[in-house]
Amino acid sequence: INHGSHGGFDAASIRLVNGMELHFVPHMGFKDDFTSETNILERLHQDIEDYGRITFGKKTAMPPGGPHVDVLVFNVGIHHSNLYQAQKKISNFANWIAKPLMKLRNLNELNDGHSPTQTIYVTTPTQHYNTSNGQWHHHMTPEDIRCVDEIQSNPQAELEKELLTTGVNVDVLLDYDDLNLGGLHVRKGSDCSHYCMPGVPDVVAARLMEAILL
């Protein structure tokens, strides 16, 4: 899989021997419209309106073993032209999806005995370009396209932590916590956005699984 948003990685599904299933459906940075779900927030919102729950939709790589979504893990992605676009999606996630699901949980369990879906938001990974805020932007100079080891803040992650509060409008807010990990990026073609694998994403994935299973 090539690095970058157009590497060709799309929907993926894994079924573990213990019966647990993981389904990844991209909403941006996708290969084509057929295998992605650009309006996933709107669809999840409509699910809640229609069924009082969210569903897997029709874009999973393999059919889910059952209709119930135990945990929804979400991130708006890094490829936005400005923070306003990210802010709108973060707010929609909180107001359309996470808060209604938390309200359903407080009222009662679903008719089939399942608890309403738990919501987890993972903050956006930090970019470490040699710019004033570490972010990639148009018209980068050769000096800008150089990874630095540490930056002071991640603008999008700060926005996410400002808009989302654990227990209020999301169940779990998982912080990437990677301001000082600029030396672990791909760097191929001066890529200071995506991390090497294995690497930082694997550590965050382990923390995510801990949050899901506890």
Side-chain angles (χ1 to χ4, degrees):
I1 299 173
N2 295 324
H3 71 293
S5 62
H6 303 291
F9 186 84
D10 274 302
S13 296
I14 300 173
R15 181 175 291 128
L16 304 180
V17 294
N18 64 358
M20 178 184 287
E21 295 181 7
L22 307 174
H23 298 279
F24 170 76
V25 178
H27 59 91
M28 64 183 306
F30 46 83
K31 183 174 63 176
D32 56 57
D33 291 338
F34 178 76
T35 53
S36 63
E37 193 168 2
T38 56
N39 64 337
I40 192 166
L41 287 176
E42 289 84 353
R43 196 265 297 167
L44 293 173
H45 177 57
Q46 194 62 49
D47 279 350
I48 296 173
E49 291 287 314
D50 293 343
Y51 315 120
R53 66 166 70 201
I54 63 172
T55 70
F56 289 100
K58 300 179 180 179
K59 299 288 187 174
T60 56
M62 69 180 188
H68 183 65
V69 180
D70 293 301
V71 181
L72 171 67
V73 181
F74 192 79
N75 172 264
V76 297
I78 199 171
H79 298 284
H80 297 283
S81 59
N82 55 64
L83 282 179
Y84 173 74
Q85 290 183 340
Q87 179 179 0
K88 184 176 180 180
K89 287 190 175 183
I90 298 165
S91 297
N92 287 345
F93 165 76
N95 296 324
W96 291 357
I97 314 301
K99 287 179 70 175
L101 289 174
M102 295 172 75
K103 183 178 180 180
L104 284 172
R105 184 185 301 111
N106 291 333
L107 291 175
N108 51 40
E109 292 191 341
L110 300 176
N111 293 332
D112 58 7
H114 289 102
S115 295
T117 305
Q118 179 189 24
T119 55
I120 299 178
Y121 189 96
V122 181
T123 62
T124 300
T126 300
Q127 300 182 80
H128 290 85
Y129 290 98
N130 189 33
T131 57
S132 59
N133 60 4
Q135 304 298 293
W136 183 91
H137 58 77
H138 294 287
H139 312 298
M140 299 273 277
T141 68
E143 181 63 18
D144 293 336
I145 307 177
R146 179 174 63 84
C147 300
V148 296
D149 290 336
E150 183 174 359
I151 65 170
Q152 295 301 309
S153 67
N154 175 344
Q156 185 161 315
E158 292 301 318
L159 175 64
E160 290 161 339
K161 288 184 282 188
E162 177 183 333
L163 295 175
L164 299 170
T165 303
T166 297
V168 176
N169 55 7
V170 68
D171 289 306
V172 177
L173 179 60
L174 187 64
D175 189 0
Y176 235 82
D177 192 22
D178 60 345
L179 294 178
N180 62 344
L181 300 179
L184 301 178
H185 284 289
V186 173
R187 293 176 181 263
K188 181 180 179 182
S190 300
D191 185 344
C192 307
S193 298
H194 304 89
Y195 283 112
C196 294
M197 298 284 282
V200 178
D202 298 281
V203 176
V204 177
R207 292 167 49 211
L208 173 60
M209 288 303 296
E210 182 179 356
I212 292 173
L213 296 175
L214 289 182

